[in-house]
Amino acid sequence: MPVGNGRCGRWQDHRQVIDGILHRVRTGVQWRDLPERFGPWKTVYERHRLWSGDGTWERLLQQVQAAADAAGEIDWDISVDSTVVRAHQHAAGARTDPASRARLKGGRRSRTPGRNRVAESVRPPGGGGAGGEGLGRSRGGFTTKLHLSADGYCRPLSLIVTPGQRGDCTQFKVVLEKIRVPKPGPGRPRRKPESVAADKAYSNRPCREYLRRRGIRHTIPEKTDSQAARLRKGSRGGRPPGFDEERYKKRNTVERAINLLKQHRAVATRYDKRRYVYLGTATAAALTIWLRT
């Protein structure tokens, strides 16, 4: 766990703050309405924001995954899918100019820019409007899409946040390449699953060629129009892609992982304005799933 943020003294009582963060992730309560037993709400929020920005939540998730992998408790027959999340109206309206935070009342700038630089150094790129913060428009309002991979025990391995209208297949490679389970000793982290199962949304040539190039067995059903086009070409259409029905039955594990994630109200409905903060919220929820299993 981090021991300080580089601006002040040593942080106190990680447990109290983490309990407050997990309480908010589970209940979706507004930060200002956190119970007093968790301490000042702004302390809890700022630490969650900082840990979301500097990758602390992702490193904690990787360490838990590494311990499970060392004990042989990860089923590397993984599945990939995505889910659409409705964004609350409070998730909109993020500042597009982070530098404006350095201004004080009356238009004056802070005389200690170094403090502001340290605070903003962990903020990932964003602020490019709704699209830059992973908010997509639909008939019902703003939506966000959460792309993920899950192992055979319904536990998330990697998470990606995009606008709600983004296609599933466009993030297939990104989701798989984000899988990174370190080893307890020396050696490279494990990044390659035994096999991958996905639905027809990922049934296209780039996804299949990517899996073949990495030598990953995969089970993805062929689309009806693709099958018809292949049959029209006759022998020039090539052989149909392999499909293992028994392996495809295990694809429900990623659907169940989504259900477990959405039991956390702050994941089922997005309240965070920043994309990286919402990703940190989803990662914290995934961490609780791993710790419970």
Side-chain angles (χ1 to χ4, degrees), residues 14 27 35 113 248 256:
H14 274 313
T27 63
Y248 191 71
R256 291 152 63 188

Side-chain angles (χ1 to χ4, degrees), residues 8-25:
C8 55
R10 183 183 180 89
W11 275 330
Q12 297 293 329
D13 201 359
H14 274 313
R15 181 179 295 275
Q16 182 186 31
V17 175
I18 291 176
D19 286 344
I21 294 173
L22 296 183
H23 176 82
R24 187 262 177 180
V25 171

Side-chain angles (χ1 to χ4, degrees), residues 55-293:
T56 297
W57 287 122
E58 294 187 358
R59 287 193 295 271
L60 290 175
L61 179 61
Q62 290 175 359
Q63 292 303 316
V64 174
Q65 293 172 347
D69 189 39
E73 298 176 353
I74 295 182
D75 185 353
W76 284 99
D77 290 331
I78 73 169
S79 301
V80 179
D81 206 349
S82 68
T83 180
V84 175
V85 176
R86 177 64 62 85
H88 194 270
Q89 60 182 356
H90 294 167
R95 292 190 179 99
T96 58
D97 182 16
S100 63
R101 298 186 65 190
R103 291 184 177 275
L104 302 177
K105 292 183 179 180
R108 296 180 292 108
R109 290 189 175 273
S110 172
R111 294 184 180 180
T112 56
R115 176 178 297 181
N116 294 324
R117 281 198 297 268
V118 172
E120 299 297 334
S121 62
V122 297
R123 181 187 293 252
E133 297 298 346
L135 290 173
R137 293 188 178 274
S138 66
R139 291 184 178 180
F142 284 118
T143 55
T144 289
K145 183 171 283 190
L146 193 63
H147 307 260
L148 71 152
S149 62
D151 75 336
Y153 297 119
C154 311
R155 298 173 297 189
L157 288 170
S158 59
L159 297 163
I160 297 292
V161 174
T162 66
Q165 76 276 7
R166 187 66 55 85
D168 292 358
C169 61
T170 61
Q171 303 302 310
F172 182 71
K173 179 179 178 181
V174 181
V175 169
L176 290 182
E177 290 187 347
K178 197 175 180 182
I179 297 175
R180 184 181 183 277
V181 179
K183 294 184 178 180
R188 297 180 179 178
R190 176 160 185 173
R191 310 177 69 99
K192 181 179 177 181
E194 296 288 343
S195 65
V196 174
D199 59 16
K200 290 184 178 181
Y202 303 91
S203 180
N204 56 31
R205 181 175 296 178
C207 291
R208 296 184 188 276
E209 289 181 348
Y210 170 74
L211 293 169
R212 293 192 188 102
R213 188 167 59 251
R214 293 190 59 185
I216 300 175
R217 295 183 293 109
H218 55 278
T219 300
I220 303 175
E222 188 179 18
K223 292 181 179 179
T224 304
D225 56 348
S226 300
Q227 183 179 12
R230 177 176 53 79
L231 293 176
R232 284 197 302 268
K233 296 180 181 178
S235 59
R236 295 182 294 107
R239 293 179 297 179
F243 182 75
D244 186 351
E245 293 185 1
E246 293 300 321
R247 172 66 182 90
Y248 191 71
K249 291 179 181 179
K250 294 181 62 178
R251 197 192 66 84
N252 67 84
T253 55
V254 68
E255 305 285 355
R256 291 152 63 188
I258 292 172
N259 290 338
L260 291 174
L261 282 173
K262 287 194 170 182
Q263 289 181 8
H264 301 78
R265 291 177 177 267
V267 178
T269 302
R270 174 177 170 176
Y271 301 101
D272 301 306
K273 293 181 182 295
R274 296 294 184 186
R275 181 208 298 254
Y276 73 94
V277 177
Y278 178 70
L279 179 59
T281 299
T283 305
L287 182 60
T288 62
I289 294 173
W290 277 88
L291 292 175
R292 289 174 180 174
T293 56

